[in-house]
Amino acid sequence: MEAVLRNLSSSVELLAVAALSGEVQQWDEQTVSRAFHWARYCEHIFSRFHNNPAISRILEKQLQITNNSVRAVFPGYREVCFSDLSRCQHVLLVGLLNNPEVPISIMKMLFDTTSPVNIKQGEYEDVTGLCSHIIQYKSACKVLTPFTDSSAAGADAEAEVQAGMLMERLDALLSQASKACQAERFLDSVLQGCEGASEHFCRVIAAALLTRTNSAAQTASVDFLLDWLQQKHTLLQHMCSALSSALLIDLAKECLKFRHAYCDVLKKWASDMEYSINDDEWVKTSPNPTVSFQKLTEHFVGLFEACPSLRNDVEKELNDLKISDGDFDVRGLSVWGDLLSEINKRLSIRIT
Ligand SMILES: *[C@@H]1O[C@H](CO)[C@@H](O)[C@H](O)[C@H]1NC(C)=O
Ligand SMILES: *[C@@H]1O[C@H](CO)[C@@H](O)[C@H](O)[C@H]1NC(C)=O
């Protein structure tokens, strides 16, 4: 029993270090795997003894003693009670996600989607991709409980769960001024990891931006994410072409910064268009992403309808561009002129 109590105390101390200490900067994959090994040890202790009141009491007592000693070192420590032992891996994972000192290599490993989890490698089970697996479970739970969460639209539940984790991590990093650059590297590495699944990543970002709470930290994270996104021209363009119109409109309504970025993308697409005499139509010269003149018009119309305050300014801008093209009212000479007349035609049809 002595040994169990000692091991239990050490494991709980380890959880506190994972969540609150700067020591995690030195952690590598092996250390993390070992930490999860001890978290599983606690879960095992719980399942073995929770039906035995005498031993449970002894374990609880030990947890209290540990609580006091850990509190002395980490004032912000939230105690681990006996029932927490049943979900120690979860406690450990949440602790790591919220600890801004955790190195990016560890985050990458936990979110790895390429390798299967729980392959025994050396002394401890490999925890690579653990987060990805938890995301899958959590998404499955969300899909399976549609009545408790009306916003979970089946296919996007996974994106929502990932968005939640992404924002939590950003909150944690941004809560320390010195970590802003790490926050940027974190987003870059997530983007890198999502190559090949960028459409999904677009939905994660959209879900993250639409996460609205009143906490100041959350707003700071949304702002940070938007600023970052504005530097990623390819991703931003991909978002504007891959996401549904309804989602883009929601984003434009919710976030001023996104609205302007979206509008800039549309103008960029228009400037990339050339008039094709053969097709008697404006076509985009660069193939990525392919957007038709028709679709481009629909984007503008949707945006103007959702954000009328934007309409005047942008129309004036388009008109100035038309003037700089010679201000002819002849189809096929200026993309701006043709765009304006098409937009106005659609909008006036909808009004009458
Ligand atoms: C406690 O941990 C040690 C390793 O540090 C292990 O060898 C031992 O078996 C554990 N004892 C119990 C009772 O779980
Ligand atoms: C843990 O320690 C703190 C302060 O020492 C105390 O307020 C709290 O009640 C303790 N929790 C448990 C479960 O013993």
Side-chain angles (χ1 to χ4, degrees), residues 64 67-68 71 79:
Q64 269 169 21
N67 168 42
N68 288 332
R71 277 267 177 147
E79 68 271 2

Side-chain angles (χ1 to χ4, degrees), residues 155-156 159-160 163 198-208 239 243 247:
D156 259 6
E160 275 183 38
S198 50
E199 189 164 336
H200 178 73
F201 186 51
C202 291
R203 291 205 304 276
V204 173
I205 295 184
M239 263 182 100
L243 295 180
L247 197 49

Side-chain angles (χ1 to χ4, degrees), residues 16-222:
V17 168
L20 298 164
S21 158
E23 221 164 280
V24 290
Q25 281 176 1
Q26 320 304 329
W27 282 23
D28 58 12
E29 299 187 8
Q30 177 75 5
T31 329
V32 176
S33 295
R34 200 160 57 225
F36 276 96
H37 166 81
W38 284 109
R40 277 193 299 276
Y41 173 86
C42 294
E43 291 178 7
H44 173 72
I45 295 291
F46 178 86
S47 65
R48 182 133 172 247
F49 296 119
H50 75 284
N51 283 329
N52 182 331
I55 295 190
S56 297
R57 261 197 305 279
I58 296 174
L59 294 171
E60 251 165 81
K61 191 97 202 298
Q62 183 67 26
L63 285 174
Q64 269 169 21
I65 295 169
T66 312
N67 168 42
N68 288 332
S69 61
V70 173
R71 277 267 177 147
V73 183
F74 302 113
Y77 173 69
R78 203 187 72 71
E79 68 271 2
V80 172
C81 65
F82 185 65
S83 62
D84 288 334
L85 292 184
S86 64
R87 42 179 212 102
C88 258
Q89 291 189 81
H90 176 82
V91 173
L92 172 59
L93 183 60
V94 171
L96 285 171
L97 285 178
N98 284 307
N99 186 343
E101 307 287 347
V102 172
I104 205 138
S105 54
I106 299 297
M107 281 296 152
K108 270 186 175 171
M109 177 194 73
L110 291 171
F111 280 98
D112 190 314
T113 51
T114 53
S115 51
V117 81
N118 287 347
I119 292 184
K120 198 145 178 141
Q121 244 178 21
E123 203 176 343
Y124 304 107
E125 266 179 49
D126 184 11
V127 288
T128 303
L130 186 71
C131 267
S132 315
H133 285 254
I134 289 174
I135 286 167
Q136 282 168 13
Y137 292 136
K138 277 186 133 182
S139 320
C141 292
K142 264 197 141 174
V143 173
L144 293 172
T145 50
F147 300 112
T148 57
D149 184 357
S150 57
S151 72
D156 259 6
E158 188 174 338
E160 275 183 38
V161 172
Q162 285 171 323
M165 288 196 170
L166 186 84
M167 292 317 264
E168 257 178 54
R169 185 68 194 146
L170 269 188
D171 289 345
L173 290 173
L174 294 173
S175 67
Q176 295 191 358
S178 59
K179 298 288 181 208
C181 139
Q182 236 188 49
E184 188 172 344
R185 274 198 297 146
F186 165 65
L187 287 176
D188 286 346
S189 74
V190 176
L191 172 62
Q192 223 175 32
C194 285
E195 254 167 36
S198 50
E199 189 164 336
H200 178 73
F201 186 51
C202 291
R203 291 205 304 276
V204 173
I205 295 184
L209 291 176
L210 289 172
T211 314
R212 283 283 142 182
T213 67
N214 295 322
S215 100
Q218 191 77 27
T219 315
S221 301
V222 166

